[in-house]
Amino acid sequence: MAKRSKIVKNNQRIAIVAKYAERRSELKSIIASPSSSFDQKYSAQKELARQPRDACPVRVRNRDAVDGRPRGHLRKFGLSRVRVRELAHQGQLPGVRKSSW
């Protein structure tokens, strides 16, 4: 089980990313556009740098939906490898079977 503070902080980051997502994409398109002038690009870069650090989606950590474990996350299930194994053995994941050969 992850620390409750880490889980809460990650949830706050997700909210901040969602809040600034549209504006970030506008600024990024201005910077990447070959038709925008140097001044437009420069002002867009400055505004992008003024945004909060947690507004960048790279800072969000994928965590287990049940207990918040940060490592061994499987995107398909939204769970950690440990939790997937437990639930698969209990038969609670539809379509997942223990392999044997």
Side-chain angles (χ1 to χ4, degrees), residues 58-72:
V58 171
R59 292 177 61 91
V60 175
R61 179 78 178 182
N62 289 329
R63 290 185 173 270
D64 187 333
V66 177
D67 64 357
R69 187 177 200 278
R71 307 257 177 126

Side-chain angles (χ1 to χ4, degrees), residues 68-80:
R69 187 177 200 278
R71 307 257 177 126
H73 181 266
L74 302 174
R75 285 178 189 255
K76 183 175 182 179
F77 301 103
L79 302 169
S80 68

Side-chain angles (χ1 to χ4, degrees), residues 23 26-28 30-31 36-51:
R23 185 60 184 152
E26 290 172 3
L27 293 172
K28 293 265 193 175
I30 291 171
I31 293 169
S36 58
S37 69
F38 176 77
D39 293 332
Q40 289 174 333
K41 288 183 181 185
Y42 184 73
S43 62
Q45 286 175 349
K46 283 291 193 183
E47 187 174 344
L48 193 63
R50 277 197 308 267
Q51 286 188 345

Side-chain angles (χ1 to χ4, degrees), residues 2 9 11 17 22 27 32-33 39 49 61 63 67-68 70 76-77 83 88 92 99:
K9 184 67 174 176
N11 290 339
V17 166
E22 186 177 344
L27 293 172
S33 173
D39 293 332
R61 179 78 178 182
R63 290 185 173 270
D67 64 357
K76 183 175 182 179
F77 301 103
R83 185 73 51 198
Q92 295 181 356
S99 66

Side-chain angles (χ1 to χ4, degrees), residues 7-20:
I7 296 170
V8 170
K9 184 67 174 176
N10 198 48
N11 290 339
Q12 289 174 348
R13 283 187 178 137
I14 292 170
I16 291 172
V17 166
K19 179 179 176 183
Y20 287 95

